[in-house]
Amino acid sequence: MSTLQIVRNPATEQVLAEVPGATVEETREAVQRAKRGFREWRALAPGDRATLLRAFGAAVLSHNEELAQLEVRNAGHTISNARWEANNVADVIMYYAGSVERLLGQQIPVAGGVDLTFKEPLGVVGIIVPWNFPMPIASWGFAPALAAGCSVILKPAETTPLSALRLAELAHEAGIPQDVFQVITGVGSVVGEALVRDPDVAKIVFTGSTRVGVRIQELAAAQVKPVTLELGGKSANIIFEDADLDRAASSAPYAVFDNAGQDCCARSRLLVQASVFDAFLERFEAAVKAVRVEDPTLETAEMGPLITPEHRERVASYVDENTILFRGACPEGPGYWYPPTVVGIEDSSHRSVREEIFGPVVVVQRFTDEAHAIALANDSDYGLSGSIWTSNLGRGLRMARALESGALSINSHSSVRYWTPFGGYKRSGLGRELGPDATDAFCETKNVFINTEL
Ligand code: NAP
Ligand code: MG
Protein backbone atom coordinates (compact mmCIF):
# COMPACT_ATOMS: atom_id res chain seq x y z
CA MET A 1 0.00 0.00 0.00
CA SER A 2 1.25 3.50 -0.82
CA THR A 3 2.25 5.87 1.94
CA LEU A 4 1.97 9.65 1.88
CA GLN A 5 5.02 11.89 2.03
CA ILE A 6 4.74 15.41 3.40
CA VAL A 7 6.51 18.08 1.37
CA ARG A 8 7.50 21.30 3.14
CA ASN A 9 8.78 24.76 2.25
CA PRO A 10 12.25 24.92 3.87
CA ALA A 11 12.11 28.72 4.19
CA THR A 12 8.84 28.75 6.14
CA GLU A 13 8.49 25.15 7.37
CA GLN A 14 4.94 25.17 5.98
CA VAL A 15 3.42 22.03 4.45
CA LEU A 16 3.15 22.40 0.67
CA ALA A 17 1.76 19.09 -0.47
CA GLU A 18 1.33 15.43 0.26
CA VAL A 19 2.71 13.11 -2.35
CA PRO A 20 2.18 9.34 -2.59
CA GLY A 21 5.14 7.13 -1.85
CA ALA A 22 5.06 4.20 -4.27
CA THR A 23 5.59 0.60 -3.24
CA VAL A 24 7.89 -2.01 -4.76
CA GLU A 25 4.90 -3.50 -6.64
CA GLU A 26 3.88 -0.11 -8.03
CA THR A 27 7.46 0.47 -9.14
CA ARG A 28 7.46 -2.89 -10.90
CA GLU A 29 4.22 -1.92 -12.70
CA ALA A 30 5.77 1.38 -13.78
CA VAL A 31 8.69 -0.53 -15.25
CA GLN A 32 6.30 -2.75 -17.23
CA ARG A 33 4.57 0.35 -18.60
CA ALA A 34 7.97 1.81 -19.46
CA LYS A 35 8.83 -1.37 -21.40
CA ARG A 36 5.74 -0.85 -23.53
CA GLY A 37 6.60 2.83 -23.85
CA PHE A 38 10.09 1.92 -25.02
CA ARG A 39 8.78 -0.21 -27.89
CA GLU A 40 6.56 2.64 -29.04
CA TRP A 41 9.21 5.34 -28.62
CA ARG A 42 12.11 3.61 -30.36
CA ALA A 43 9.86 2.83 -33.33
CA LEU A 44 9.08 6.52 -33.91
CA ALA A 45 10.86 8.15 -36.83
CA PRO A 46 13.83 10.18 -35.52
CA GLY A 47 12.36 13.42 -36.81
CA ASP A 48 9.09 12.76 -34.95
CA ARG A 49 10.91 12.02 -31.70
CA ALA A 50 12.88 15.23 -32.11
CA THR A 51 9.69 17.20 -32.78
CA LEU A 52 8.09 15.89 -29.58
CA LEU A 53 11.21 16.73 -27.57
CA ARG A 54 11.27 20.25 -28.99
CA ALA A 55 7.59 20.66 -28.04
CA PHE A 56 8.49 19.53 -24.50
CA GLY A 57 11.40 22.01 -24.39
CA ALA A 58 9.13 24.81 -25.58
CA ALA A 59 6.56 23.94 -22.89
CA VAL A 60 9.23 24.09 -20.19
CA LEU A 61 10.40 27.44 -21.51
CA SER A 62 6.91 28.90 -21.52
CA HIS A 63 6.36 27.66 -17.94
CA ASN A 64 9.74 28.94 -16.73
CA GLU A 65 8.34 31.28 -14.09
CA GLU A 66 5.86 28.72 -12.73
CA LEU A 67 8.55 26.05 -12.46
CA ALA A 68 10.96 28.50 -10.86
CA GLN A 69 8.38 29.58 -8.26
CA LEU A 70 7.64 25.94 -7.50
CA GLU A 71 11.32 25.26 -6.87
CA VAL A 72 11.65 28.31 -4.62
CA ARG A 73 8.82 26.94 -2.49
CA ASN A 74 9.89 23.31 -2.50
CA ALA A 75 13.69 23.57 -2.35
CA GLY A 76 14.26 27.04 -0.87
CA HIS A 77 16.27 28.13 -3.90
CA THR A 78 16.63 31.82 -4.56
CA ILE A 79 14.30 32.99 -7.29
CA SER A 80 17.18 34.04 -9.53
CA ASN A 81 18.79 30.59 -9.26
CA ALA A 82 15.47 28.83 -9.81
CA ARG A 83 14.82 30.79 -13.01
CA TRP A 84 18.23 29.76 -14.28
CA GLU A 85 17.47 26.13 -13.38
CA ALA A 86 14.13 26.05 -15.21
CA ASN A 87 15.79 27.65 -18.19
CA ASN A 88 18.59 25.09 -18.05
CA VAL A 89 16.01 22.30 -18.29
CA ALA A 90 14.58 23.83 -21.47
CA ASP A 91 18.07 24.29 -22.92
CA VAL A 92 19.06 20.72 -22.14
CA ILE A 93 15.91 19.29 -23.73
CA MET A 94 16.36 21.45 -26.84
CA TYR A 95 20.06 20.57 -27.13
CA TYR A 96 19.39 16.82 -27.02
CA ALA A 97 16.34 17.18 -29.28
CA GLY A 98 18.97 18.17 -31.82
CA SER A 99 20.87 14.93 -31.33
CA VAL A 100 18.06 12.53 -32.27
CA GLU A 101 18.84 12.71 -36.01
CA ARG A 102 22.57 12.67 -35.25
CA LEU A 103 22.83 9.27 -33.56
CA LEU A 104 25.30 8.30 -36.23
CA GLY A 105 26.95 4.93 -36.66
CA GLN A 106 30.17 4.24 -38.55
CA GLN A 107 31.20 2.41 -41.68
CA ILE A 108 34.50 0.72 -40.97
CA PRO A 109 36.75 -0.65 -43.74
CA VAL A 110 36.95 -4.45 -43.76
CA ALA A 111 37.91 -7.09 -46.31
CA GLY A 112 35.19 -9.01 -48.12
CA GLY A 113 32.26 -6.85 -47.18
CA VAL A 114 30.90 -3.83 -45.41
CA ASP A 115 30.99 -3.18 -41.68
CA LEU A 116 28.43 -0.94 -40.04
CA THR A 117 27.82 0.16 -36.48
CA PHE A 118 24.43 1.16 -35.09
CA LYS A 119 23.65 3.07 -31.92
CA GLU A 120 20.68 1.36 -30.35
CA PRO A 121 18.76 2.58 -27.30
CA LEU A 122 19.33 0.60 -24.09
CA GLY A 123 15.68 0.31 -23.06
CA VAL A 124 14.08 1.48 -19.81
CA VAL A 125 16.29 3.93 -17.91
CA GLY A 126 15.85 4.64 -14.19
CA ILE A 127 16.95 8.12 -13.15
CA ILE A 128 17.35 8.75 -9.42
CA VAL A 129 18.03 12.34 -8.42
CA PRO A 130 18.80 14.29 -5.23
CA TRP A 131 17.07 17.29 -3.69
CA ASN A 132 19.75 19.91 -4.24
CA PHE A 133 19.07 20.76 -7.90
CA PRO A 134 15.93 18.75 -8.57
CA MET A 135 15.09 20.06 -12.03
CA PRO A 136 18.38 20.44 -13.91
CA ILE A 137 19.91 17.19 -12.66
CA ALA A 138 16.80 15.28 -13.72
CA SER A 139 16.97 16.79 -17.20
CA TRP A 140 20.68 15.96 -17.62
CA GLY A 141 19.55 12.33 -17.40
CA PHE A 142 16.14 12.24 -19.05
CA ALA A 143 16.79 14.51 -22.05
CA PRO A 144 19.66 12.50 -23.62
CA ALA A 145 17.97 9.23 -22.59
CA LEU A 146 14.75 10.18 -24.40
CA ALA A 147 16.72 11.49 -27.37
CA ALA A 148 18.53 8.15 -27.65
CA GLY A 149 15.17 6.37 -27.81
CA CYS A 150 15.00 5.08 -24.23
CA SER A 151 11.93 5.33 -22.01
CA VAL A 152 12.46 6.92 -18.61
CA ILE A 153 11.31 6.49 -15.03
CA LEU A 154 12.40 9.44 -12.92
CA LYS A 155 12.55 9.12 -9.11
CA PRO A 156 12.89 12.53 -7.46
CA ALA A 157 14.15 12.94 -3.90
CA GLU A 158 11.42 12.51 -1.31
CA THR A 159 11.83 16.09 -0.09
CA THR A 160 11.62 17.73 -3.55
CA PRO A 161 9.23 15.89 -5.88
CA LEU A 162 7.06 18.80 -7.06
CA SER A 163 9.01 20.14 -10.04
CA ALA A 164 9.57 16.63 -11.41
CA LEU A 165 5.83 15.93 -11.27
CA ARG A 166 5.12 19.18 -13.09
CA LEU A 167 7.77 18.42 -15.74
CA ALA A 168 6.07 15.09 -16.45
CA GLU A 169 2.73 16.85 -16.96
CA LEU A 170 4.37 19.27 -19.39
CA ALA A 171 6.01 16.39 -21.27
CA HIS A 172 2.67 14.60 -21.65
CA GLU A 173 0.86 17.77 -22.71
CA ALA A 174 3.57 18.24 -25.34
CA GLY A 175 2.76 14.78 -26.74
CA ILE A 176 5.38 12.54 -25.18
CA PRO A 177 3.51 9.33 -24.30
CA GLN A 178 2.75 8.67 -20.62
CA ASP A 179 4.61 5.36 -20.65
CA VAL A 180 7.69 6.93 -22.20
CA PHE A 181 8.29 9.44 -19.41
CA GLN A 182 7.04 8.57 -15.92
CA VAL A 183 7.78 10.17 -12.58
CA ILE A 184 7.46 7.88 -9.59
CA THR A 185 7.62 9.33 -6.11
CA GLY A 186 8.67 7.55 -2.96
CA VAL A 187 11.50 6.69 -0.65
CA GLY A 188 14.90 5.87 -2.11
CA SER A 189 15.35 2.63 -0.20
CA VAL A 190 12.01 1.38 -1.59
CA VAL A 191 11.36 2.89 -5.02
CA GLY A 192 14.97 3.66 -5.89
CA GLU A 193 16.20 0.20 -4.96
CA ALA A 194 13.29 -1.45 -6.75
CA LEU A 195 14.36 0.34 -9.95
CA VAL A 196 17.97 -0.75 -9.52
CA ARG A 197 16.99 -4.37 -8.81
CA ASP A 198 14.44 -4.66 -11.61
CA PRO A 199 15.90 -6.77 -14.44
CA ASP A 200 13.74 -4.85 -16.94
CA VAL A 201 15.53 -1.59 -16.14
CA ALA A 202 18.47 -1.46 -18.52
CA LYS A 203 20.42 1.38 -16.93
CA ILE A 204 20.51 3.54 -13.81
CA VAL A 205 21.55 7.16 -13.74
CA PHE A 206 22.11 8.17 -10.15
CA THR A 207 23.02 11.53 -8.68
CA GLY A 208 23.42 11.72 -4.94
CA SER A 209 25.70 10.76 -2.11
CA THR A 210 28.73 8.54 -2.58
CA ARG A 211 27.35 6.19 0.09
CA VAL A 212 24.15 5.47 -1.86
CA GLY A 213 26.07 5.48 -5.17
CA VAL A 214 28.30 2.66 -3.93
CA ARG A 215 25.24 0.65 -2.91
CA ILE A 216 23.64 1.18 -6.32
CA GLN A 217 26.79 0.11 -8.13
CA GLU A 218 26.95 -3.05 -6.00
CA LEU A 219 23.31 -3.93 -6.72
CA ALA A 220 23.68 -3.15 -10.42
CA ALA A 221 26.83 -5.28 -10.68
CA ALA A 222 24.79 -8.42 -10.01
CA GLN A 223 23.00 -7.82 -13.33
CA VAL A 224 25.96 -6.23 -15.14
CA LYS A 225 23.67 -3.21 -15.40
CA PRO A 226 25.40 -0.01 -16.52
CA VAL A 227 25.32 2.95 -14.16
CA THR A 228 26.20 6.60 -14.45
CA LEU A 229 27.06 7.98 -11.02
CA GLU A 230 27.31 11.68 -10.14
CA LEU A 231 28.34 11.72 -6.50
CA GLY A 232 29.80 13.99 -3.87
CA GLY A 233 32.60 16.52 -3.98
CA LYS A 234 35.09 18.42 -1.85
CA SER A 235 36.47 20.73 -4.46
CA ALA A 236 39.29 23.22 -4.08
CA ASN A 237 39.40 26.88 -5.01
CA ILE A 238 43.12 27.60 -5.38
CA ILE A 239 44.34 31.18 -5.13
CA PHE A 240 47.90 31.95 -6.30
CA GLU A 241 49.82 35.07 -5.34
CA ASP A 242 49.71 36.32 -8.95
CA ALA A 243 45.88 36.13 -9.08
CA ASP A 244 43.60 39.15 -9.37
CA LEU A 245 42.91 39.08 -5.62
CA ASP A 246 39.91 41.39 -5.78
CA ARG A 247 38.11 39.26 -8.36
CA ALA A 248 39.16 36.00 -6.71
CA ALA A 249 37.96 37.16 -3.27
CA SER A 250 34.70 38.74 -4.40
CA SER A 251 33.67 35.61 -6.33
CA ALA A 252 34.85 33.01 -3.80
CA PRO A 253 31.75 33.18 -1.54
CA TYR A 254 29.46 32.32 -4.46
CA ALA A 255 31.69 29.38 -5.42
CA VAL A 256 30.79 27.69 -2.16
CA PHE A 257 27.70 29.38 -0.68
CA ASP A 258 25.55 29.30 -3.79
CA ASN A 259 22.47 27.16 -3.10
CA ALA A 260 23.53 27.34 0.57
CA GLY A 261 26.51 25.11 -0.22
CA GLN A 262 24.20 22.27 -1.22
CA ASP A 263 26.05 21.90 -4.47
CA CYS A 264 28.20 18.94 -5.46
CA CYS A 265 30.53 21.41 -7.20
CA ALA A 266 30.87 23.70 -4.17
CA ARG A 267 34.46 24.84 -3.74
CA SER A 268 34.36 23.96 -0.07
CA ARG A 269 38.14 24.00 0.34
CA LEU A 270 39.86 27.33 -0.18
CA LEU A 271 43.61 26.97 -0.72
CA VAL A 272 45.48 30.28 -0.54
CA GLN A 273 49.17 30.87 -1.22
CA ALA A 274 50.86 31.86 2.03
CA SER A 275 52.41 35.05 0.59
CA VAL A 276 48.93 36.55 -0.04
CA PHE A 277 47.02 34.77 2.70
CA ASP A 278 46.23 37.83 4.82
CA ALA A 279 45.60 40.11 1.85
CA PHE A 280 43.17 37.59 0.38
CA LEU A 281 41.38 36.79 3.64
CA GLU A 282 40.76 40.45 4.37
CA ARG A 283 38.99 40.86 1.02
CA PHE A 284 37.22 37.51 1.38
CA GLU A 285 35.83 38.43 4.80
CA ALA A 286 34.21 41.57 3.41
CA ALA A 287 32.71 39.55 0.56
CA VAL A 288 31.34 36.82 2.85
CA LYS A 289 29.72 39.35 5.16
CA ALA A 290 28.03 40.97 2.16
CA VAL A 291 26.29 37.77 0.99
CA ARG A 292 22.54 38.33 1.19
CA VAL A 293 20.98 35.41 3.04
CA GLU A 294 17.26 36.09 3.04
CA ASP A 295 13.77 35.07 1.99
CA PRO A 296 14.48 33.27 -1.30
CA THR A 297 11.43 34.77 -2.98
CA LEU A 298 13.15 38.19 -2.89
CA GLU A 299 14.89 39.24 -6.11
CA THR A 300 17.90 40.33 -4.03
CA ALA A 301 18.36 36.98 -2.25
CA GLU A 302 21.74 35.34 -2.85
CA MET A 303 21.35 32.42 -0.48
CA GLY A 304 18.33 30.65 1.01
CA PRO A 305 17.86 28.08 3.78
CA LEU A 306 19.08 24.50 4.03
CA ILE A 307 16.71 21.77 2.91
CA THR A 308 15.61 20.19 6.23
CA PRO A 309 16.20 20.59 9.98
CA GLU A 310 18.07 17.26 9.99
CA HIS A 311 20.41 18.50 7.30
CA ARG A 312 21.05 21.71 9.23
CA GLU A 313 22.00 19.62 12.30
CA ARG A 314 24.40 17.62 10.19
CA VAL A 315 26.03 20.74 8.72
CA ALA A 316 26.34 22.31 12.17
CA SER A 317 28.01 19.16 13.51
CA TYR A 318 31.03 19.93 11.31
CA VAL A 319 31.60 23.38 12.74
CA ASP A 320 33.73 23.70 15.83
CA GLU A 321 33.35 27.26 17.17
CA ASN A 322 37.10 27.45 17.86
CA THR A 323 37.94 27.07 14.19
CA ILE A 324 35.62 29.80 12.86
CA LEU A 325 37.56 32.64 11.23
CA PHE A 326 34.44 34.67 10.42
CA ARG A 327 30.89 34.16 9.25
CA GLY A 328 28.00 35.96 7.60
CA ALA A 329 24.48 36.46 8.90
CA CYS A 330 21.16 34.69 8.32
CA PRO A 331 17.52 35.25 9.27
CA GLU A 332 16.11 34.18 12.64
CA GLY A 333 12.77 32.43 13.11
CA PRO A 334 11.12 29.81 10.90
CA GLY A 335 13.15 28.17 8.15
CA TYR A 336 16.25 26.00 8.19
CA TRP A 337 18.77 28.84 8.07
CA TYR A 338 22.51 28.55 8.52
CA PRO A 339 25.01 31.40 8.05
CA PRO A 340 27.89 31.34 5.55
CA THR A 341 30.78 30.12 7.68
CA VAL A 342 34.55 30.21 7.14
CA VAL A 343 36.76 27.90 9.18
CA GLY A 344 40.55 27.62 9.30
CA ILE A 345 41.88 24.06 9.72
CA GLU A 346 45.45 23.18 8.73
CA ASP A 347 45.22 19.50 9.71
CA SER A 348 44.22 17.75 6.47
CA SER A 349 43.06 14.64 8.29
CA HIS A 350 40.26 16.60 10.03
CA ARG A 351 36.80 15.37 9.02
CA SER A 352 35.73 18.89 8.02
CA VAL A 353 38.59 18.93 5.50
CA ARG A 354 37.91 15.44 4.18
CA GLU A 355 34.12 15.01 4.17
CA GLU A 356 31.50 16.72 2.07
CA ILE A 357 29.58 19.03 4.42
CA PHE A 358 27.03 20.07 1.77
CA GLY A 359 26.25 23.31 3.53
CA PRO A 360 27.60 26.88 3.62
CA VAL A 361 30.90 26.01 5.26
CA VAL A 362 34.31 26.55 3.66
CA VAL A 363 37.63 25.33 5.06
CA VAL A 364 40.63 27.61 4.45
CA GLN A 365 44.16 26.22 4.18
CA ARG A 366 47.46 27.76 3.06
CA PHE A 367 50.06 26.45 0.61
CA THR A 368 53.61 27.42 -0.27
CA ASP A 369 54.05 26.62 -3.97
CA GLU A 370 52.48 24.87 -6.96
CA ALA A 371 53.56 21.40 -5.89
CA HIS A 372 52.10 21.95 -2.42
CA ALA A 373 48.84 23.23 -3.90
CA ILE A 374 48.55 20.13 -6.12
CA ALA A 375 49.30 17.81 -3.21
CA LEU A 376 46.68 19.45 -0.98
CA ALA A 377 44.02 19.67 -3.69
CA ASN A 378 44.47 16.02 -4.72
CA ASP A 379 44.53 14.78 -1.14
CA SER A 380 40.84 13.91 -1.32
CA ASP A 381 38.66 10.90 -2.10
CA TYR A 382 36.65 13.20 -4.33
CA GLY A 383 37.42 14.88 -7.66
CA LEU A 384 34.46 16.74 -9.13
CA SER A 385 35.23 20.40 -9.79
CA GLY A 386 37.65 23.12 -8.77
CA SER A 387 38.97 26.58 -9.59
CA ILE A 388 42.45 27.95 -10.18
CA TRP A 389 43.12 31.66 -9.85
CA THR A 390 46.34 32.92 -11.44
CA SER A 391 47.39 35.48 -14.04
CA ASN A 392 49.92 33.00 -15.43
CA LEU A 393 48.10 30.97 -18.06
CA GLY A 394 50.90 28.39 -18.23
CA ARG A 395 50.54 27.77 -14.52
CA GLY A 396 46.76 27.67 -14.86
CA LEU A 397 46.93 24.94 -17.49
CA ARG A 398 49.69 23.05 -15.63
CA MET A 399 47.51 23.01 -12.54
CA ALA A 400 44.40 22.03 -14.49
CA ARG A 401 46.24 19.02 -15.95
CA ALA A 402 47.66 18.03 -12.56
CA LEU A 403 44.39 18.11 -10.61
CA GLU A 404 42.43 14.85 -10.33
CA SER A 405 39.09 16.42 -11.05
CA GLY A 406 36.49 16.29 -13.82
CA ALA A 407 35.36 19.91 -14.23
CA LEU A 408 37.88 22.69 -13.65
CA SER A 409 37.83 26.38 -14.36
CA ILE A 410 40.65 28.91 -14.48
CA ASN A 411 39.85 32.41 -13.24
CA SER A 412 36.15 31.62 -12.89
CA HIS A 413 33.93 29.16 -11.06
CA SER A 414 31.92 27.71 -13.88
CA SER A 415 31.30 23.96 -13.76
CA VAL A 416 28.22 23.32 -15.77
CA ARG A 417 27.39 24.21 -19.34
CA TYR A 418 24.90 21.89 -20.97
CA TRP A 419 27.07 21.53 -24.07
CA THR A 420 30.29 20.54 -22.23
CA PRO A 421 30.86 17.25 -20.36
CA PHE A 422 30.37 17.07 -16.62
CA GLY A 423 31.31 14.39 -14.10
CA GLY A 424 33.78 13.29 -11.50
CA TYR A 425 37.09 11.55 -10.92
CA LYS A 426 37.65 9.13 -8.05
CA ARG A 427 34.69 8.80 -5.67
CA SER A 428 32.89 11.73 -7.27
CA GLY A 429 31.45 9.46 -9.88
CA LEU A 430 31.49 7.30 -12.94
CA GLY A 431 30.71 8.42 -16.47
CA ARG A 432 29.85 11.85 -17.79
CA GLU A 433 26.65 13.79 -18.33
CA LEU A 434 25.94 16.71 -20.65
CA GLY A 435 28.07 17.69 -23.63
CA PRO A 436 27.97 16.32 -27.16
CA ASP A 437 28.43 12.64 -26.22
CA ALA A 438 25.80 12.23 -23.48
CA THR A 439 23.46 10.19 -25.70
CA ASP A 440 26.17 7.51 -26.00
CA ALA A 441 25.57 6.65 -22.35
CA PHE A 442 22.07 5.48 -23.36
CA CYS A 443 23.06 3.40 -26.39
CA GLU A 444 24.62 0.06 -27.12
CA THR A 445 26.91 -0.04 -30.13
CA LYS A 446 25.97 -2.84 -32.44
CA ASN A 447 28.40 -4.00 -35.10
CA VAL A 448 27.09 -5.65 -38.29
CA PHE A 449 29.24 -7.21 -41.00
CA ILE A 450 27.71 -7.76 -44.44
CA ASN A 451 29.46 -10.29 -46.66
CA THR A 452 29.57 -8.88 -50.21
CA GLU A 453 31.35 -11.92 -51.72
CA LEU A 454 28.34 -14.20 -51.71
P1 NAP B 1 21.16 10.67 -1.39
O1 NAP B 1 20.68 10.50 -0.02
O2 NAP B 1 22.22 9.78 -1.90
O3 NAP B 1 19.85 10.54 -2.31
C1 NAP B 1 19.87 10.71 -3.70
C2 NAP B 1 18.69 10.00 -4.31
O4 NAP B 1 18.84 8.58 -4.12
C3 NAP B 1 17.35 10.35 -3.69
O5 NAP B 1 16.35 10.33 -4.68
C4 NAP B 1 17.15 9.22 -2.70
O6 NAP B 1 15.82 9.03 -2.38
C5 NAP B 1 17.71 8.06 -3.47
N1 NAP B 1 18.10 6.91 -2.66
C6 NAP B 1 18.41 6.87 -1.33
N2 NAP B 1 18.73 5.62 -0.96
C7 NAP B 1 18.62 4.83 -2.06
C8 NAP B 1 18.83 3.44 -2.31
N3 NAP B 1 19.22 2.61 -1.35
N4 NAP B 1 18.64 2.98 -3.57
C9 NAP B 1 18.27 3.81 -4.55
N5 NAP B 1 18.04 5.13 -4.37
C10 NAP B 1 18.23 5.64 -3.14
O7 NAP B 1 21.68 12.12 -1.68
P2 NAP B 1 21.01 13.48 -1.25
O8 NAP B 1 21.27 13.65 0.19
O9 NAP B 1 19.63 13.56 -1.74
O10 NAP B 1 21.86 14.53 -2.11
C11 NAP B 1 23.07 15.05 -1.70
C12 NAP B 1 24.24 14.36 -2.39
O11 NAP B 1 24.14 14.41 -3.81
C13 NAP B 1 25.56 15.01 -2.08
O12 NAP B 1 26.52 14.05 -1.75
C14 NAP B 1 25.95 15.68 -3.40
O13 NAP B 1 27.29 15.90 -3.59
C15 NAP B 1 25.38 14.76 -4.38
N6 NAP B 1 25.22 15.44 -5.68
C16 NAP B 1 26.06 15.14 -6.71
C17 NAP B 1 25.95 15.78 -7.92
C18 NAP B 1 26.85 15.47 -9.06
O14 NAP B 1 26.48 15.78 -10.18
N7 NAP B 1 28.00 14.87 -8.86
C19 NAP B 1 24.96 16.73 -8.08
C20 NAP B 1 24.12 17.02 -7.01
C21 NAP B 1 24.27 16.36 -5.82
P3 NAP B 1 15.17 9.71 -1.05
O15 NAP B 1 15.28 11.17 -1.20
O16 NAP B 1 13.78 9.26 -1.09
O17 NAP B 1 15.96 9.18 0.09
MG1 MG C 1 18.29 10.99 1.20
Side-chain angles (χ1 to χ4, degrees):
M1 213 183 66
S2 299
T3 51
L4 277 182
Q5 297 175 256
I6 293 173
V7 179
R8 283 178 199 276
N9 181 332
T12 63
E13 306 185 21
Q14 253 140 30
V15 174
L16 283 176
E18 285 187 347
V19 169
T23 60
V24 171
E25 292 69 35
E26 286 163 337
T27 308
R28 175 88 196 135
E29 286 159 19
V31 174
Q32 293 310 305
R33 285 195 296 276
K35 267 181 81 175
R36 292 194 290 274
F38 172 58
R39 284 195 288 273
E40 182 184 355
W41 188 239
R42 76 175 302 186
L44 265 190
D48 293 342
R49 220 155 62 210
T51 300
L52 288 172
L53 283 172
R54 279 194 285 271
F56 180 20
V60 172
L61 198 59
S62 66
H63 291 78
N64 176 293
E65 188 62 21
E66 181 205 329
L67 288 163
Q69 295 288 351
L70 194 58
E71 209 71 311
V72 172
R73 289 199 298 281
N74 191 179
H77 290 196
T78 62
I79 182 62
S80 55
N81 275 11
R83 285 187 186 124
W84 181 91
E85 290 159 23
N87 213 52
N88 180 257
V89 175
D91 283 340
V92 171
I93 297 169
M94 289 299 195
Y95 179 71
Y96 289 107
S99 71
V100 180
E101 303 102 325
R102 295 182 178 87
L103 290 168
L104 306 178
Q106 290 178 307
Q107 178 266 310
I108 299 170
V110 287
V114 175
D115 192 277
L116 299 173
T117 67
F118 295 89
K119 291 205 180 142
E120 300 201 340
L122 291 177
V124 178
V125 174
I127 299 176
I128 303 172
V129 298
W131 45 260
N132 64 328
F133 290 104
M135 274 194 288
I137 289 174
S139 72
W140 304 349
F142 72 63
L146 292 171
C150 296
S151 61
V152 164
I153 301 178
L154 169 62
K155 206 243 26 111
E158 53 189 311
T159 40
T160 55
L162 300 185
S163 55
L165 290 165
R166 186 67 187 120
L167 284 174
E169 287 172 1
L170 293 173
H172 301 149
E173 285 166 23
I176 293 182
Q178 301 261 354
D179 292 348
V180 170
F181 183 39
Q182 300 176 73
V183 171
I184 183 163
T185 52
V187 181
S189 56
V190 178
V191 177
E193 274 212 31
L195 286 175
V196 181
R197 288 179 186 277
D198 197 314
D200 288 324
V201 174
K203 159 143 197 168
I204 292 289
V205 177
F206 170 80
T207 303
S209 61
T210 296
R211 183 183 61 80
V212 176
V214 167
R215 163 119 188 114
I216 286 175
Q217 197 178 4
E218 279 170 1
L219 288 173
Q223 298 171 22
V224 199
K225 182 178 301 201
V227 289
T228 296
L229 303 174
E230 297 288 1
L231 309 175
K234 190 76 182 177
S235 299
N237 180 10
I238 305 172
I239 317 292
F240 282 96
E241 61 189 1
D242 59 8
D244 178 334
L245 287 191
D246 289 327
R247 297 273 289 275
S250 62
S251 62
Y254 305 98
V256 56
F257 302 141
D258 189 61
N259 205 32
Q262 303 166 123
D263 181 343
C264 51
C265 291
R267 276 68 166 172
S268 53
R269 292 185 294 150
L270 186 50
L271 309 182
V272 185
Q273 196 156 21
S275 49
V276 291
F277 191 84
D278 292 339
F280 178 84
L281 268 251
E282 191 185 314
R283 290 167 171 81
F284 183 51
E285 179 167 4
V288 168
K289 290 186 169 160
V291 174
R292 294 187 67 113
V293 185
E294 59 189 1
D295 174 356
T297 63
L298 297 174
E299 299 284 337
T300 50
E302 293 181 323
M303 188 182 125
L306 293 171
I307 190 75
T308 58
E310 298 77 28
H311 188 56
R312 180 169 60 178
E313 286 273 302
R314 191 178 159 271
V315 169
S317 78
Y318 280 96
V319 178
D320 169 357
E321 298 288 320
N322 300 318
T323 62
I324 296 177
L325 300 177
F326 45 85
R327 71 195 328 181
C330 68
E332 309 261 318
Y336 314 126
W337 302 97
Y338 196 81
T341 300
V342 180
V343 298
I345 302 173
E346 294 294 338
D347 171 10
S348 288
S349 67
H350 194 286
R351 71 188 268 263
S352 301
V353 181
R354 306 215 69 80
E355 295 174 22
E356 182 179 49
I357 299 174
F358 222 54
V361 180
V362 63
V363 181
V364 185
Q365 296 191 306
R366 71 184 86 205
F367 66 87
T368 49
D369 55 14
E370 242 177 85
H372 190 201
I374 293 167
L376 279 178
N378 285 343
D379 182 15
S380 173
D381 292 339
Y382 294 113
L384 189 53
S385 75
S387 302
I388 301 145
W389 287 79
T390 174
S391 55
N392 176 340
L393 187 56
R395 164 181 277 166
L397 273 175
R398 256 193 326 272
M399 288 295 296
R401 297 301 301 268
L403 296 182
E404 297 158 350
S405 185
L408 292 160
S409 61
I410 300 169
N411 294 328
S412 90
H413 299 296
S414 78
S415 302
V416 173
R417 290 185 181 82
Y418 59 84
W419 63 99
T420 62
F422 174 69
Y425 277 43
K426 302 193 277 189
R427 287 189 210 180
S428 285
L430 193 65
R432 293 290 178 273
E433 296 190 296
L434 300 175
D437 304 324
T439 47
D440 286 351
F442 300 98
C443 295
E444 290 280 14
T445 299
K446 181 177 282 175
N447 191 72
V448 177
F449 171 73
I450 306 160
N451 181 355
T452 54
E453 312 279 298
L454 204 64

